[in-house]
Amino acid sequence: MTDSLSQFSVLALYSSMAVYAISFILFTLDLAGIGTAKYKLVSFGLSLTWVGFALQAAATVMRGIAAGRVPWANMYEFALTGTLMIVLVFLIVNLKWNITFLGSFITGFALLFLGLAATNYYVEVVPLPPALQSYWLVIHVFVATLGTGFFALGFALSLAQVLQERRERAVTAAEAKRWAWLSRFPDSVVLENYAYRLIIVGFVLWTFTLIAGAIWAEKAWGRYWGWDVKEVWTFIIWTIYAGYLHARSTRGWRGTRSAVLAMIGFASVIFNFTVVNIFFKGLHAYSGLK
Amino acid sequence: MSLQSSSTTVTNPSLGFVGWLRWFWRQLTSMRTALLLLLLLAIAAIPGSLVPQRAADPNGVTQYFANNEELAPVLDAFQLFDVYSSAWFSAIYLLLFVSLIGCVVPRVKYHWDALRSDPPRTPANLNRLPAQTEFESTDAPEVVIENAHALLKRQGYRAVRYDSAVAGKNRLTVSAERGYVRETGNLLFHGALVGVLIAVGFGGGFGFAGQRVIYEGQAFTNTLLAYDSFNPGRWFSASTLTPYTVTLDSFTTVYEEQNQNAIGQPTDYTANVTTQLKGEEPTQAVIKVNEPLRFGDTDIYLLGNGYAPQITVRDADGGVVFRDTIPFLPQDTNLTSVGVVKLPDGLPEQLGLVGFFYPTVSEGHSGAYFSMYPDLIDPLLSFNVWKGDLGLNEGVPRSVYALDTTSMTKLTGQKTALDSLELRPGETVDLPEGLGSVTFDGVKKFVSLDIHNDPAQGWVLVFALLSLGSLLFSLFIPRRRLWVAVSPSGTTGSIVQIAALARGDDATLGDRVRELSDEMRKPSKT
Ligand code: HEM
């Protein structure tokens, strides 16, 4: 039962990756200017992203049922739930603001990460070690992955903002043709505003993650803060984003510079998830990889 | 006046010094410095994740020194094995917090005044503001402005009337402001961070952390001497230790037996203990990995466990010279464990026994034993016997888990004529050279307990939650000023101007102006 369920989960995951791949192509073709009024590539791409999301959600839920716990207790499962959250935040935010121009980035990112997870991080379902048997696993890790979702969108918007700002300067300098695909994006001020409004949500979630992690560490390891490598990187990420928020109020740092900080922040999130989890030695040895 | 000031600057260098200090203070408390210090702090935290740290991983540091003989002392000189207590890391965060306080205190004063005063006068020219709109109304100016005033108050604005006459025409205005709590939240947030820092320092200074290993049936008495290791804070006083005992009644481990991918993986550790405060009745309690025991002003954590064989050694005549239960340190996930028995007295020569314990023994291809399962299914204890000087009389502290063999000779095991001693529970074997015998009486489990006291831990949490709560206000409550100005139009009508200014980030400013104008243009419901 458990075995077949986790096999179904893998099947659903591969299906979702196939669907994301198609929507990635559609979004990208649209950015390249292929879409026309007649063939609405973007709306096709968006519908398929919802389908991919549903399949991935099914894969994640089945994995959780097979394991008899929340599906975020090792690298493979963190990657599964983490990308699910990124896609979810994208889809939900897209209901409010039209950000389909990020479709390529989001589906491409999900595809890449799920591919990495399926080939490099996959482990069979095993029971939780005593240190992870806590409701804080449910809260702390879930909020961290949700925060990651907001930071991911903040990254994409900040990157777009930086490129758009260059383009705007080029356009005023009358090199109008440069980077035509960016003409499908809003102007840089709007991008900056979107990025900011998502990153502050991510920052609040990250602050919560930090505090919840400390509460859990106190229970499981006997101290609320011990500069374990994972704690160090969570702190570094928090500090970078605090820097981002300050930069937006510091003369000369608004615009490109603060956007670069937001990008470094998300790069650190990814670093924390991949390199720190696998190669750094610490108490957070829960990747499940040997 | 000018004469005086120029003469003082020339002749009095101390003013220059004060001026310089002022300049320095202004720099330190500027937004740019705060930003740079924050980024510097992030960068400075990185090396501690690349190099093992004494506080978190002392064995890692020892190993690093062994593997990098040349590099390690250089890194050590830069305090890279103690990054988070190093002079340079401390300097950065202390400067950051000085900057924070210097930045926040004047803002508190300013905000306090703002909270108790009316919104500022309406600017003469509203056209220059980032968001504004204009419309005409058929109502009289006084009616329009009173409606606007009431409407803004209902929407939670602090609103006051300012009227003036411009070019002979009456200009009636309302100046309104809302979202003061954004700044309140921001100030509270920064203040709470200072609270976190102080509480962390206070707790570390007055608290302690100690470790103690006890086996089943053994009691621990909370006194300094009873700890295996003890790290007091700077201002800790031993008289604050609450007198109590904790006895380990039993320790159970559950191993996975069904899941083929995880056979032998532990899924539960439970320590059943009896606790007793001095002069009170004993009570039963349970300690688990995620469920520490809060008892006698301390927190008691279950952080490790293993096997402790019970061993009896007799001399050649059968007299007991040693009987004890010795915790063996686990070496792998199947709990192959290593321990040492030291026999300084009672035998003709000092003996040291280096023991290996296999809870479920199996033999590898090379003939070496290993444990294939962590539970006690087929336990075996083996000993190598060493004869000579244990080195206990030199006044050097010796680890109970290691044998210093520099002045000892090996009598059994590899590279000797005799095989290692091998015992199953209940068995007795003779020591070599007719020295006596060893009996393996049985096995108990031991737990390694961490016992902490952090008097300020609760305050750290309170300040952390306060900073999180106030952050919500600081980030999500928009602060803005709104102005409505009404001038007469024709004989009875009015021209209405609305404008707004955000303080801090507010992307919805334009929408708010539009909404207010829509509200005001609705036919009044009277
Ligand atoms: C431990 C160091 C610090 C941390 C972690 C920190 C964190 C933050 C965060 C997260 C915000 C965003 C909240 C908001 O935008 O309202 C913020 C805002 C702010 N911080 Fe800090 N801060 C620190 C030190 C300082 C210092 C030293 C100063 C003064 C030089 C300062 C001045 C400000 C100001 C003026 C804002 C408001 C910016 C705005 O209204 O957009 N902070 N800080």
Side-chain angles (χ1 to χ4, degrees):
Chain A
M1 166 65 189
T2 293
D3 277 358
S4 60
L5 205 56
S6 57
Q7 278 158 16
F8 277 128
S9 164
V10 172
L11 202 65
L13 177 66
Y14 283 133
S15 316
S16 78
M17 285 168 66
V19 176
Y20 284 148
I22 301 172
S23 52
F24 171 73
I25 293 170
L26 294 178
F27 281 127
T28 310
L29 286 178
D30 177 73
L31 285 187
I34 311 277
T36 62
K38 203 163 146 209
Y39 304 105
K40 288 225 174 78
L41 297 183
V42 166
S43 44
F44 271 129
L46 190 63
S47 310
L48 282 180
T49 310
W50 276 105
V51 174
F53 171 77
L55 284 166
Q56 195 196 343
T60 313
V61 170
M62 280 192 279
R63 172 82 186 189
I65 295 172
R69 53 167 165 73
V70 289
W72 50 79
N74 54 51
M75 278 290 275
Y76 172 69
E77 294 170 1
F78 298 149
L80 207 57
T81 307
T83 37
L84 189 69
M85 287 302 137
I86 291 175
V87 177
L88 178 68
V89 173
F90 165 70
L91 289 171
I92 300 273
V93 172
N94 191 58
L95 296 177
K96 188 164 175 221
W97 312 322
N98 178 9
I99 52 165
T100 42
F101 54 87
L102 293 183
S104 263
F105 174 85
I106 294 295
T107 50
F109 186 89
L111 200 54
L112 206 72
F113 236 76
L114 291 176
L116 189 69
T119 50
N120 288 347
Y121 301 159
Y122 187 80
V123 288
E124 300 294 340
V125 168
V126 299
L128 284 182
L132 288 188
Q133 295 169 13
S134 166
Y135 54 86
W136 286 107
L137 171 69
V138 181
I139 302 168
H140 167 72
V141 182
F142 179 75
V143 175
T145 49
L146 191 59
T148 303
F150 282 90
F151 285 154
L153 277 191
F155 171 87
L157 287 161
S158 299
L159 178 62
Q161 172 202 334
V162 170
L163 296 177
Q164 189 71 298
E165 232 168 74
R166 302 216 147 181
R167 177 169 177 273
E168 281 160 6
R169 252 179 281 138
V171 169
T172 25
E175 304 169 44
K177 287 268 163 58
R178 203 156 158 210
W179 293 341
W181 56 277
L182 274 173
S183 64
R184 277 154 227 282
F185 285 54
D187 66 51
S188 63
V189 174
V190 173
L191 289 169
E192 179 169 13
N193 244 316
Y194 282 170
Y196 170 74
R197 291 172 71 185
L198 293 177
I199 288 172
I200 56 177
V201 178
F203 184 74
V204 167
L205 295 171
W206 201 258
T207 309
F208 179 86
T209 303
L210 203 67
I211 297 173
I215 296 174
W216 188 10
E218 192 277 329
K219 287 191 162 216
W221 297 331
R223 82 288 182 295
Y224 59 83
W225 193 265
W227 296 106
D228 175 70
V229 286
K230 198 79 185 191
E231 292 170 349
V232 170
W233 277 92
T234 304
F235 168 82
I236 291 173
I237 290 160
W238 189 82
T239 311
I240 293 173
Y241 278 108
Y244 164 81
L245 293 176
H246 272 216
R248 287 178 48 83
S249 312
T250 306
R251 204 173 310 126
W253 279 75
R254 225 184 158 95
T256 301
R257 282 187 180 182
S258 61
V260 168
L261 281 181
M263 285 152 66
I264 295 176
F266 184 65
S268 309
V269 172
I270 294 301
F271 182 81
N272 192 22
F273 175 69
T274 53
V275 178
V276 175
N277 267 0
I278 298 174
F279 297 109
F280 287 25
K281 182 171 163 258
L283 290 170
H284 277 84
Y286 303 129
S287 68
L289 307 174
K290 300 231 165 66
Chain B
M1 164 72 205
S2 71
L3 187 97
Q4 195 186 23
S5 71
S6 70
S7 73
T8 45
T9 43
V10 171
T11 59
N12 190 347
S14 80
L15 193 72
F17 179 68
V18 170
W20 184 82
L21 269 187
R22 277 232 179 88
W23 176 85
F24 179 75
W25 181 250
R26 247 199 327 272
Q27 292 304 308
L28 183 62
T29 56
S30 75
M31 236 10 218
R32 168 163 293 120
T33 307
L35 172 60
L36 293 180
L37 285 171
L38 267 173
L39 298 181
L40 204 58
L41 188 68
I43 294 169
I46 295 175
S49 71
L50 304 175
V51 180
Q53 298 295 296
R54 285 206 175 88
D57 180 15
N59 295 334
V61 176
T62 314
Q63 208 153 50
Y64 196 93
F65 268 84
N67 296 344
N68 307 277
E69 281 177 23
E70 310 230 309
L71 185 59
V74 179
L75 298 186
D76 204 16
F78 289 100
Q79 298 177 301
L80 280 165
F81 298 107
D82 308 283
V83 166
Y84 306 106
S85 53
S86 69
W88 46 274
F89 192 79
S90 311
I92 297 173
Y93 75 73
L94 288 177
L95 267 182
L96 180 58
F97 274 91
V98 170
S99 165
L100 188 158
I101 292 166
C103 166
V104 164
V105 168
R107 279 170 59 204
V108 171
K109 162 106 182 61
Y110 184 84
H111 187 53
W112 179 252
D113 292 343
L115 275 178
R116 293 179 313 154
S117 46
D118 287 337
R121 291 198 151 272
T122 310
N125 188 350
L126 292 180
N127 290 327
R128 286 215 208 97
L129 291 162
Q132 45 106 11
T133 185
E134 206 178 287
F135 63 90
E136 291 210 21
S137 166
T138 49
D139 291 332
E142 188 56 37
V143 175
V144 174
I145 200 70
E146 264 318 304
N147 275 342
H149 192 181
L151 187 62
L152 285 168
K153 276 191 160 166
R154 244 184 324 207
Q155 292 183 353
Y157 283 84
R158 178 176 301 188
V160 281
R161 288 276 306 268
Y162 291 111
D163 298 342
S164 61
V166 179
K169 281 184 173 181
N170 268 341
R171 181 176 184 252
L172 311 181
T173 76
V174 173
S175 170
E177 179 157 1
R178 59 152 290 161
Y180 292 86
V181 72
R182 180 188 185 90
E183 179 73 357
T184 310
N186 186 288
L187 295 172
L188 255 181
F189 167 77
H190 286 88
L193 291 183
V194 179
V196 169
L197 186 75
I198 292 174
V200 167
F202 189 86
F206 285 97
F208 71 86
Q211 285 80 36
R212 171 63 198 250
V213 166
I214 50 175
Y215 49 81
E216 288 166 310
Q218 196 180 18
F220 158 74
T221 307
N222 189 28
T223 56
L224 266 193
L225 282 179
Y227 283 93
D228 296 330
S229 66
F230 193 82
N231 304 302
R234 196 166 304 174
W235 307 293
F236 169 79
S237 148
S239 61
T240 59
L241 286 180
T242 309
Y244 66 71
T245 57
V246 173
T247 310
L248 180 63
D249 300 324
S250 65
F251 178 72
T252 54
T253 311
V254 178
Y255 296 105
E256 177 63 38
E257 292 173 349
Q258 306 292 323
N259 186 331
Q260 291 302 314
N261 299 308
I263 297 287
Q265 186 192 304
T267 57
D268 183 62
Y269 296 125
T270 305
N272 296 297
V273 297
T274 301
T275 58
Q276 185 170 22
L277 282 171
K278 195 174 176 183
E280 290 185 20
E281 289 298 303
T283 42
Q284 310 287 317
V286 167
I287 312 177
K288 284 158 101 59
V289 173
N290 266 299
E291 297 165 25
L293 174 63
R294 319 275 179 196
F295 179 66
D297 298 329
T298 57
D299 304 314
I300 307 175
Y301 305 90
L302 174 62
L303 287 198
N305 66 83
Y307 291 106
Q310 299 167 274
I311 295 151
T312 304
V313 180
R314 293 182 173 81
D315 61 22
D317 303 327
V320 172
V321 297
F322 177 92
R323 171 169 282 162
D324 207 352
T325 305
I326 309 285
F328 275 37
L329 292 184
Q331 306 294 307
D332 58 29
T333 52
N334 284 327
L335 299 185
T336 299
S337 309
V338 178
V340 168
V341 178
K342 294 181 185 179
L343 302 164
D345 312 303
L347 297 176
E349 300 203 54
Q350 292 197 335
L351 284 193
L353 310 181
V354 177
F356 286 84
F357 179 72
Y358 311 94
T360 301
V361 71
S362 184
E363 199 171 334
H365 294 299
S366 63
Y369 289 136
F370 65 94
S371 174
M372 56 176 284
Y373 192 72
D375 211 352
L376 290 173
I377 291 179
D378 182 15
L380 179 85
L381 179 63
S382 81
F383 278 119
N384 286 332
V385 183
W386 295 75
K387 178 177 81 170
D389 182 4
L390 285 168
L392 296 180
N393 301 327
E394 291 155 23
V396 186
R398 300 279 178 199
S399 163
V400 294
Y401 297 107
L403 188 68
D404 178 3
T405 56
T406 40
S407 16
M408 303 194 84
T409 341
K410 200 176 182 185
L411 301 181
T412 71
Q414 267 184 342
K415 297 188 197 150
T416 68
L418 301 171
D419 285 339
S420 305
L421 311 184
E422 291 178 10
L423 302 107
R424 303 207 177 246
E427 289 183 352
T428 300
V429 296
D430 285 336
L431 288 164
E433 302 183 354
L435 288 167
S437 67
V438 190
T439 307
F440 177 19
D441 299 311
V443 194
K444 290 185 171 175
K445 291 193 173 150
F446 77 80
V447 296
S448 152
L449 300 178
D450 267 42
I451 300 161
H452 295 189
N453 167 261
D454 186 334
Q457 186 163 291
W459 286 107
V460 176
L461 183 61
V462 166
F463 282 120
L465 291 178
L466 180 63
S467 69
L468 178 62
S470 47
L471 183 64
L472 293 176
F473 290 99
S474 174
L475 289 175
F476 297 110
I477 304 287
R479 176 146 188 211
R480 54 177 167 260
R481 287 183 180 156
L482 258 174
W483 292 279
V484 181
V486 185
S487 317
S489 162
T491 44
T492 55
S494 325
I495 296 177
V496 184
Q497 242 189 334
I498 304 175
L501 180 67
R503 309 185 62 194
D505 285 284
D506 184 0
T508 57
L509 201 62
D511 299 340
R512 290 293 97 76
V513 170
R514 217 166 308 121
E515 277 169 24
L516 182 66
S517 110
D518 290 348
E519 282 277 315
M520 288 178 62
R521 291 160 86 169
K522 263 192 227 157
S524 54
K525 320 162 247 202
T526 30

